[in-house]
Amino acid sequence: MDVKIEKLVYGGEGLGHHEGHTVFVPFVLPDEVVTVQPVERKKKFVRGRVSHVLTPSPQRATPPCPHFAVCGGCHYQHIPYEAQLPYKTEILRETFRRLGRVEWGGPIQTHASPPFGYRNRAQWKIRPAGAAAKNAIGYFQAGSSTLCAVDECPVLSPRLAETLAGLRDLLAESRLPAKLREVEAFTDDADRKVLLNASVETFDGPPESLASLLLTALPGVETILLQEISRDRYELFGPGFIHYHAAGNRCRVGHLSFFQVNRFLIEELVHTVLAEERGKLALDLFAGVGLFTLPLAKRFERVVGVESDLAAARDLQANIEESKGNAQQVNAAVESLLTEWQERPDYVVLDPPRAGVSDGALRQLLRLGPPRLAYLSCDPATLARDLRVLTGGLDPAAGPGAYQIAEVHLFDLFPQTYHIESLVRLKRRE
Ligand SMILES: C[S@@+](CC[C@H](N)C(=O)[O-])C[C@H]1O[C@@H](n2cnc3c(N)ncnc32)[C@H](O)[C@@H]1O
């Protein structure tokens, strides 16, 4: 099928039409004409892969990474970085319109990142590969659990690139357990100290030996959590966390806690979430280890950080105690906390996982009616759905919703990928 690409859609693919079918195909650019080999045929759409680019876009660039288009990690390395952001902006605006019926005609303020070397966290898979079926390290190929072995990954911070190279050498020398399946590494703001999580199907030797090998062979490793998958057993070697300095605070981040992955945009993200907000009470919902809770506590008389994950909530508690601020931590699901909550907050920060905010929690927020909200999202689709509830969308029968959008920001936390992080500031209608 020869298809003209009309636009890029969320998920990394381009969209075109062919004989009444919508065609989705990755690694293309708008206005290109490409020959598509179908991979999946459904009643209304076809998914395929490009076999030839018949008319390349003048924007098409040579991907810097030799593993691009096989490795499932990146989607946009064929697009120069400066062009990726306008495409993401259009995708965000269209997602608001299509899935949320939210017509945002105002600006989308973009926050660009250095295009490479930005990740402070990576998860590498380890699987037998090649003719010799020797263990190799890399990422899964797109939509599969087949390993794409990598010897470089340009989105990693220098320290993580070093960690990857060290692990690759240990594997080449057969010094790692045969059943090692995954290693996750996280570095601090200085890109020096490293926290490691390693998952082994079954230990074939004492876990202490593996921990001491990793500690000595890999630079900067401070703490290691080993998981034995078959017995669901964990062994900790080290303090169990590293510290990340952000926005004038020191955050302890443990082995199982969430932390933002783009090391260049964290400060800007915190400052934009905080803006000029001040007042009596702020709620930081989906608080993690307190990236926003701690600085909010300098602006508000009281801040409540709500986090359901026990590991993250423990880090949050430790971080609040160390900062000696006027914040408190609640280890609960946002939904249950809001159901009980009576006091009207002046400001609410929402930073949910990809699933977004549950309908019940949104209804409770509408009941409480804080004058201002900041919604940080890593999934435009669920953000659009939730904005529809908060703003009332364009449905004339429903009348105007309780909130109106004041600002939309796009933080490019994940250059070279289709992922979109956005922040919407909302204010209550008078
Ligand atoms: C995207 S992270 C944001 C963390 C933090 N705001 C930050 O920027 O570092 C979402 C957090 O919400 C937590 N979480 C997920 N579902 C939750 C729920 N229903 N109630 C409370 N916390 C939840 C997760 O454990 C995770 O720490």
Side-chain angles (χ1 to χ4, degrees):
M1 298 185 289
D2 292 347
V3 180
K4 180 163 182 170
I5 302 303
E6 294 156 33
K7 60 182 178 179
L8 298 184
V9 294
Y10 187 64
E13 292 167 310
L15 175 151
H17 287 92
H18 186 264
E19 294 178 357
H21 288 93
T22 306
V23 180
F24 294 102
V25 61
F27 313 124
V28 293
L29 277 146
D31 296 328
E32 288 189 329
V33 180
V34 293
T35 306
V36 177
Q37 291 287 326
V39 174
E40 181 189 3
R41 282 180 187 276
K42 291 273 161 104
K43 220 170 174 183
K44 291 203 169 147
F45 70 86
V46 176
R47 280 216 144 82
R49 80 171 97 83
V50 174
S51 59
H52 296 285
V53 180
L54 301 171
T55 316
S57 159
Q59 283 181 326
R60 184 168 273 274
T62 306
C65 176
H67 307 293
F68 179 65
V70 179
C71 168
C74 288
H75 318 95
Y76 285 165
Q77 284 194 27
H78 63 295
I79 309 178
Y81 184 60
E82 320 73 69
Q84 291 176 23
L85 265 178
Y87 285 129
K88 288 188 179 184
T89 306
E90 266 328 290
I91 291 170
L92 182 62
R93 208 183 281 283
E94 191 191 316
T95 308
F96 281 7
R97 188 181 301 134
R98 199 167 51 84
L99 297 182
R101 294 223 255 147
V102 172
E103 202 63 53
W104 172 246
I108 295 181
Q109 301 179 47
T110 53
H111 302 257
S113 159
F116 293 100
Y118 63 85
R119 281 196 77 102
N120 60 22
R121 186 185 290 275
Q123 278 167 331
W124 300 296
K125 308 289 179 193
I126 295 162
R127 294 289 185 281
K134 207 172 163 156
N135 265 346
I137 189 163
Y139 301 97
F140 282 157
Q141 298 180 16
S144 95
S145 52
T146 305
L147 186 80
C148 168
V150 302
D151 38 24
E152 61 181 283
C153 172
V155 298
L156 299 178
S157 78
R159 180 56 106 202
L160 287 189
E162 228 174 341
T163 312
L164 172 62
L167 287 165
R168 195 197 50 208
D169 292 348
L170 290 173
L171 283 167
E173 295 158 12
S174 303
R175 292 172 68 196
L176 291 172
K179 296 278 177 66
L180 181 62
R181 287 289 165 260
E182 185 175 304
V183 175
E184 178 176 23
F186 172 63
T187 62
D188 63 359
D189 52 292
D191 198 33
R192 293 176 72 86
K193 295 185 177 169
V194 178
L195 170 154
L196 278 189
N197 295 329
S199 303
V200 180
E201 197 58 55
T202 311
F203 287 121
D204 50 13
E208 293 77 10
S209 312
L210 173 58
S212 80
L213 172 66
L214 294 172
L215 274 167
T216 46
L218 303 174
V221 175
E222 290 274 307
T223 180
I224 301 179
L225 183 68
L226 297 182
Q227 183 196 13
E228 186 171 22
I229 303 165
S230 60
R231 292 203 221 152
D232 198 18
R233 193 164 70 95
Y234 290 84
E235 299 258 3
L236 176 66
F237 301 88
F241 55 81
I242 56 173
H243 286 111
Y244 209 104
H245 295 85
N249 293 291
R250 194 170 87 136
C251 286
R252 156 183 142 169
V253 185
H255 283 274
L256 302 174
S257 298
F258 173 91
F259 202 76
Q260 302 290 345
V261 303
N262 184 311
R263 64 199 190 102
F264 297 121
L265 287 183
I266 289 175
E267 296 285 323
E268 206 168 320
L269 185 63
V270 174
H271 288 298
T272 315
V273 166
L274 259 57
E276 300 304 316
E277 299 295 345
R278 282 171 205 285
K280 284 205 167 76
L281 173 66
L283 299 185
D284 182 17
L285 305 180
F286 310 93
V289 303
L291 180 66
F292 306 128
T293 316
L294 303 180
L296 280 168
K298 294 181 184 152
R299 313 279 200 89
F300 287 81
E301 288 172 24
R302 251 177 81 217
V303 178
V304 180
V306 184
E307 169 58 50
S308 63
D309 179 73
L310 183 58
R314 284 195 174 149
D315 288 338
L316 176 59
Q317 180 65 36
N319 292 332
I320 288 173
E321 281 167 17
E322 185 178 290
S323 74
K324 300 188 170 60
N326 42 355
Q328 84 190 73
Q329 173 271 130
V330 179
N331 179 207
V334 162
E335 299 72 14
S336 54
L337 174 110
L338 287 180
T339 308
E340 306 285 311
W341 197 264
Q342 296 304 332
E343 197 179 339
R344 187 192 202 204
D346 300 300
Y347 190 47
V348 173
V349 176
L350 296 156
D351 183 11
R354 298 186 71 84
V357 183
S358 71
D359 194 58
L362 288 173
R363 304 278 159 201
Q364 293 300 331
L365 269 178
L366 291 172
R367 170 181 66 79
L368 290 168
R372 294 174 310 280
L373 290 172
Y375 189 141
L376 182 63
S377 158
C378 55
D379 187 335
T382 53
L383 173 64
R385 178 201 68 197
D386 296 348
L387 285 178
R388 190 173 183 187
V389 177
L390 293 168
T391 66
L394 284 183
D395 185 355
Y403 287 88
Q404 60 188 19
I405 295 177
E407 285 171 25
V408 180
H409 296 257
L410 192 157
F411 282 88
D412 201 17
L413 298 189
F414 313 97
Q416 318 306 336
T417 80
Y418 69 78
H419 294 288
I420 295 176
E421 184 86 11
S422 47
L423 173 73
V424 178
R425 305 182 66 80
L426 296 135
K427 60 180 187 202
R428 209 177 142 76
R429 282 182 217 273
E430 295 304 320

